[in-house]
Each structure stands twice: as C-alpha cells, then as structure tokens.
Amino acid sequence: MRARSIIVDADACPVKSEIEQAGRQFGVQVMLVASFDHRMKENPGVKVVQVDRSDQSVDLYIANQIQQGDILVTQDFGLAALGLAKGSICLTNRGQEYTDSSIDFLLDRRHASAKMRRSGKHSKGPKPFTEADRQNFLHGLTKLLKYLQEIENK
C-alpha cells in the first residue's frame, strides 16, 4: 500500500522541508495546510492550501480532505484522532506514530492538563525542538515510506 499523500498541519510544523524532501524521494504528493498568516511556497510535488485564520480552519480542512492511506503530520491530538478514524497513518513532528491505543491516553492527558490550567495551575509545556528531533522525524518518515513502498511492490 503506497501512501496516497502526506498532509501536513503546517501552521507550526518545524519539519516541512524534511517532509518535502521525503515526498520527492518517494514520489508522494505533499499538501501543506496553513492559515493565511503563514507564507509558504509551492514546489514541485508540494501543494499549498491556505485557509482563514480562525481557530480550527486548518483542522477542519484537513479533516474533510484526509482519506485512508494518507500520512498526516500534526501535533494536534484531536486532529490525529480524526485521521486515525479515517484510516490514515498519523505522525508527530518528532516522528512518533499516533496509534489507536496511544491516542486515548494522549486525549485524556490533554483534557487533564486543560482542567489544571483552568484551575490556575500550569505545566512546563513541550521540550524545545532539537536537531536530533528533526533527524528522528526524517528517519521515521523515510522508514515508513520505504515500508509502504515495499508492501506495494510485493
């Protein structure tokens, strides 16, 4: 099964160039979806879709476009849950794969954190994104695309 396309929640995605690189290498179309606040350039094999800047516009666009066999790159647990429900493969921008078994835990943790913030408590937030994270993402995406390509060729 070859990936149909790589769809990227591109507003705050730090690995867009790595995604474009892997997409070119494996001949997979990349779609970057972001609000009009972000300037992005179309390149061969890369479609840029820009939507209005309202809170959930990017997520709603992606949720309506994503299909089984697509790869979704997002930091948003809710969007990843929608992608999984539609049969897509979902990755974080650090290269970890969201799974049906992990997404429930992540959504519960997000809900608990939101409750804590509403009560006045604050947590640390995510660790800074590093060059090692960038390399891990590229390695994970390349490995996934190679695996999907091998399955298709059997």
Side-chain angles (χ1 to χ4, degrees), residues 11-153:
D11 275 343
C13 181
V15 289
K16 291 186 280 287
S17 62
E18 288 77 8
I19 294 167
E20 289 184 32
Q21 175 187 341
R24 274 192 307 276
Q25 181 181 351
F26 288 90
V28 177
Q29 176 73 36
V30 173
M31 180 191 307
L32 302 175
V33 184
S35 71
F36 287 111
D37 293 331
H38 301 270
R39 290 188 178 262
M40 293 185 297
K41 189 175 104 180
E42 286 200 6
N43 292 310
V46 178
K47 178 181 178 183
V48 172
V49 176
Q50 298 204 266
V51 297
D52 71 54
R53 63 177 56 109
S54 67
D55 194 23
Q56 299 297 317
S57 293
V58 170
D59 295 353
L60 289 171
Y61 183 87
I62 291 172
N64 286 320
Q65 296 299 311
I66 198 156
Q67 297 179 23
Q68 184 172 357
D70 287 338
I71 296 172
L72 171 62
V73 179
T74 184
Q75 298 178 78
D76 185 307
F77 302 152
L79 183 56
L82 289 169
L84 288 171
K86 289 192 167 197
S88 67
I89 300 166
C90 302
L91 300 174
T92 71
N93 61 16
R94 295 177 194 257
Q96 288 92 21
E97 185 174 344
Y98 294 103
T99 64
D100 289 331
S101 59
S102 68
I103 199 69
D104 288 336
F105 169 77
L106 294 170
L107 289 169
D108 283 344
R109 193 175 77 191
R110 180 179 75 172
H111 176 71
S113 294
K115 265 174 79 172
M116 280 180 38
R117 282 191 302 277
R118 284 193 301 272
S119 71
K121 297 178 181 141
H122 295 283
S123 60
K124 288 184 180 178
K127 293 185 242 175
F129 194 80
T130 66
E131 187 59 33
D133 292 326
R134 185 176 307 285
Q135 293 306 313
N136 287 337
F137 174 82
L138 183 57
H139 176 74
L141 179 59
T142 302
K143 187 176 171 182
L144 173 61
L145 290 169
K146 188 177 286 187
Y147 171 75
L148 294 173
Q149 190 177 57
E150 288 171 1
I151 289 174
E152 182 181 281
N153 292 333

